[in-house]
Amino acid sequence: MSRLEAKKPPLFITEPLTKDGVSQSLSLLSGILKSCYGPAGRLKQLHNGVGGYVCTTSQSSAILSRLPVSHPVLGVLMASVQNHVSRFSDCGLFTAILCCSLIENFKSLNIASCTVIKISKHLLSFCMDYLKSEACGCRVAVDFSSVETLLCLVRSILRSKPACMLNKTEVDHLTTLIVKAFLFTVPCHAESNAVLGKCVIVPMKGRRVVDSTVLPGLLIETPEIQLANPLTIKRTSSNTIKIALFCVSMSGDSFNPEEGTITVHHGISLEMSELNQLLDVGKQLVNDEVGLVVCQKVIHPSLKQYLKENSVMAVDRAGLSLMEPLSRMTGSKPIASIHLLSPSCYGSLKDVDIESFASKNFVHLIPNDTLVCSLILCNRNETAWDELKRACETAEHVLQLTLKEPLALLGGGCTETHLASYIRHKSCSLSTSSFEDTDCSQAEYQLVAEGFCRSLESVARSLNHDDGEILTDMVYGHCWFVPPGFPPVSNWSDLVSKCGCGINGNSENLKWRLLQGQFGSPVIHDCPKEPLVKIADFLTLDCYAAKCSGLQVALETAHLILDLLYVIKDQN
Amino acid sequence: MARRQRLAQEAAALAGAVRGALGPRGGRALLVRATGQAVLTRDGRRLLEALSLEPPTARMMAACACRHRAATGDGAKTFVVLLAGVLGGLCAAGGGLRRALQAFEAQVLERAVAQGLRRHLLTALPGREGEAEAAALEALLEAYLAGRLGPGERRRLARLCAEHCRRCAPAAASRPQALRLLGRRFAELHAAVAGLPVASSMVLPGLVLRRDFATYSPAGGELRAVLVTEPLRPALSAPSVEFVVDSEGQYQASLQWITRRTEALMKHLQSNNIKLLLSSVKQEEAVISYAKLYGISVVECLSSEEMALICEITGVSPCAPFGDNMLGGITETAVATFCQPLLLGSKRCAHIGFTSVCTFQPHCLILCGPVDSVNEQHAAALQEAFIMLQQLFKTAEQREECKAEGESRSEALGVCSWPCSATQTQLAIENNYCNSTQVPEGQSKAHRDGAETQIVDPDLHGCDNPVCVQTDLPVLSSPILHIKEFSGATEGDGSSRGVQEPHAECERLGAMHLNCKSDSLVDSQKHHSTAVLACNANAGTACESLGAGKDLEKTSCNIVPLKQGESCVSTAQNYSGSLIKAGSVLPVGGYFEVLLHYYIQYYAKQFQQSEVAVVSNVVADALLSIPKTLYGTTEQNSFTKFYLRAINSLRKNEPLPMNGEGLESVYCKYHLVISVLHCVTELLSIDLIIGIKRPLQKAEDYDSENDF
């Protein structure tokens, strides 16, 4: 290598996981994330100590992107969770907490990491097969003929984000709005490869949450339009409005920055000729009965004036992000040249309206087909609004994922405890061939399985931030929370009324036991049963695709980190 | 002595650094670059580079290991471990053994391989079809990936990689070519998605271009595509072209002409039924908007590698629609069965199912993993796996060629005159097969051969010649050296007939090591004329070593009795160039090392007390350090158990107890031992290290061999 001489030799760390520094940072990170988890999660305030923007949040995406990485090993973990979040939006904290506790549990086992990885891979395949099977007791099918399950999904997401500062009515209001907006974006006419529309979030800070609303079509902010003037827009014979969409600047300065030189003789004004050309375009637009002209960039004032005189409405500075939904919604093709207008570029709109929220005026474009809609999202202050926006985007993404795979998992820690008891049952009744497959002894297998189950349960445990006990029942394997302040020897059936996800009541004797930390007593497990009634209102549900992928990613990341033998750090 | 100790220490330190990452139970390393970028790897080369070694001799060891890896796609870590073993052993054994190394290689090692190891070899690919071949491919890949990936991922990826390979080349005959293309263009033939579990990885038909459509118009069924390399909208002015505006009208007219022209072009494309425009440059807004208007999808800013790959697969070349042919028919069009947007993670890509004009069926491997660095590790490992596999497929490929042009029989006979008339006809058939691999090659080889024998030893019984071929092998990785040697050889012969051919051959470095094997065949024929005794046996083994087609096997059956009748020990050295059949494999897990250890000791017995015996013992013991490392992390005495079991069954002449988990290429392994011995010789030959301030010119790039 012909490279400049290295100033310092690289830092060579063997078996990084055994070093104190890494374990400490890992448990610190795990502690931070665990305390954020769930509806009762504690908020984190992130600020840089010299003023400026303060972020109050409990979401993994916001925390992980801002936390500094102290050690490259943690960097791997955080990058992996962030990648998961960017794919699925949801279950980031679940993935991160599970990954941390898997690493901690497996590390304490004192079994060769290679064996641990093989066994836990085997356990994961059990989990995935179970989650994919019809017999799975912790998933529910999503019925699109009623909105109830969709509402449950969205409500669970909003409730698990305490930094949005929503009360119950606000949660219900927003839940309805989000589901409504999602339903707008689903195409009415089923095609073979239908594409979902788009929901554009319009920010409206400093207003009450219940003022939020959803409108079909798009809103373009136009400060100069007077609300008082009634709109006079030319309509075509079929009572629709013809729209022309320009993605080229119409300000008369559209010289291409080409290489080479253009020599202009004295007395010739290219600007003048450009403007004349623009006015010609305006004439043609008027002749073609166009009612609305939208330009991505700026329209020259004299062209605007000309259009207005001919009762053609002109909206400029629409911005790049609106172009695609606009084109989609109106069926028009963006025009990129002012020299040649083709009539086939025009699209159509049902109506145009002026809307006013707070102090802002918007032009509201109402389409024939409501594939595109606008969600006007209000919240009291800036940080809470940011948090709410992230929550809404998550909810929308989750609904889209659910549409692809119409399943949902039980939330409130029930999926985790149910899976744990399934794995315990499964690993007890294993044939010897599986041990040969994974090249390990039965004792090793049991130990790793126990560590795996404990990690799953620790995710459920971190939903509880008060001192109350957490139980699991021996019939369904669900998760139950005891309110704080009761001694641990109470008669549990008096204290719990519903399980974490809300599907089971305490009508029968479910043989509760404590879901404890490190010292779980060995229990003989039957295969956990499926709940009798699967459809109930007000369930806590989680996104199926996001949680399944999160489970896999958490384990794979834990494998990566456990498998690390060296860290070689270039210190230059 | 002190220097020797220092070398041993350095090698031991290097081995200590890579030992943990060796083998299926090895762990991986996280390399943090100076920029903060984290890289996960188990690749020996990357590990050695990341250490940024200080001592020049240690740097040389690392460079030798990397060079070996570049040539065979495997084995940098094993190289270092073996090197440390040999150096440590030599250091303990005392000085003056440098010369004995060469003698050991010629007299013991080759015999051990040729007479001992050969019997245990299995064959992997040639001649096997369908299920068996697929299984062998997967076993090879899994064993290879076991040394490069984590325990949780290797099986899934081995399966994917084998599937990718099979689907790209559905016919077994086209597989070598496909492997070459895959190895060369893997960057374009895979895409990575971070944030998804590895289980979501898959093989997709068609190509995935990692950029979104500039505009997409859905088109069903088969569609036609054109490639362009320049902007389609004419410009008013260009560099060194001045545009003079006389009047406003003229300016507007020119602009209008440009727009009309652009529109006309798009209309023309549409009328030629073209639905997809692939551009290597960014196109103007106007072009995109007219393309959208006329229902043409556009992908722009394609990299030159992607363009080259598309051209290679579809056989079209980029067209220049600005010439006079603008309104003529467009001939250079590629056909695609589908063309659709594909969402990979959060990135929108263009997914195009090109119809191939060659045997390679384009497929794209989508690699998923939780973080980017894992995906990079997987991609690098797979690309090198393709390079490793190429080494196995090559014979099959040459055999194809040889059937196509098997006309050089008379010529070959002209070169070698056969004194042994009894087997002449049969040998001639063989001869035909050997030489017809490539007609010009056959000729040039004969010449080169003569030259080498002249240089090395004009009238020996053929013992030095194979050594010569062997010493060639490590040099193969540097094309320049090789060309020199070839031309030197031809000059030495005083003939100009073969001058062109060696050069042409050198360009085809890919098939080089095989050529060496056929070389030695011709060698042996040459020696027949001098040493008649060896003729029959030689012919038999030569035939076997080529592993040729069915009729050829018959021939070899006929010869076998003759071979047995005349078992001449010295002939073993004669065919050492081809002593390992192409496609030879052994199960993984230290079998090669234990076998070689056993046979080296066995054949070293005749050199009592001599230096060669000392070296033999050192190398034999050093070989065991590899399986020791492999078994190191499991239970205490598992290596001892394995070793004793294997040695016992060898003594009793029983087949080895094998648990057929995966396979490894014997050729790569043998090459590794040879490279290590050469590196040791080189290291021991250094007597002075001179430090200079100026940076030395880098002579060769180790990466460049990856690209043939």
Side-chain angles (χ1 to χ4, degrees), chain A residues 152-225:
Chain A
C152 284
L153 266 170
V154 176
R155 198 181 298 117
S156 311
I157 290 168
L158 290 181
R159 279 187 55 220
S160 70
K161 312 282 187 269
C164 296
M165 307 288 179
L166 303 180
N167 61 28
K168 196 169 175 308
T169 28
E170 289 168 341
V171 167
D172 288 342
H173 179 69
L174 273 180
T175 303
T176 327
L177 286 187
I178 292 170
V179 173
K180 198 170 155 190
F182 171 71
L183 293 178
F184 269 136
T185 63
V186 180
C188 304
H189 313 288
E191 296 164 38
S192 57
N193 51 354
V195 184
L196 285 183
K198 195 173 163 59
C199 172
V200 180
I201 294 180
V202 181
M204 196 67 66
K205 292 161 193 174
R207 304 265 297 183
R208 294 180 308 147
V209 178
V210 284
D211 290 341
S212 306
T213 178
V214 70
L215 294 171
L218 279 174
L219 292 173
I220 305 173
E221 196 179 341
T222 43
E224 75 254 43
I225 280 190

Side-chain angles (χ1 to χ4, degrees), chain B residues 45-102:
Chain B
R45 196 191 72 174
R46 284 200 166 180
L47 275 176
L48 290 173
E49 275 173 6
L51 291 174
S52 12
L53 299 164
E54 192 78 24
T57 39
R59 290 220 298 252
M60 190 176 142
M61 292 175 202
C64 282
C66 294
R67 193 164 48 207
H68 168 75
R69 224 256 356 215
T72 55
D74 196 10
K77 285 168 290 185
T78 323
F79 185 99
V80 175
V81 171
L82 186 60
L83 181 71
V86 175
L87 277 177
L90 287 180
C91 176
L97 295 170
R98 185 163 62 85
R99 279 170 198 286
L101 273 173
Q102 268 177 354

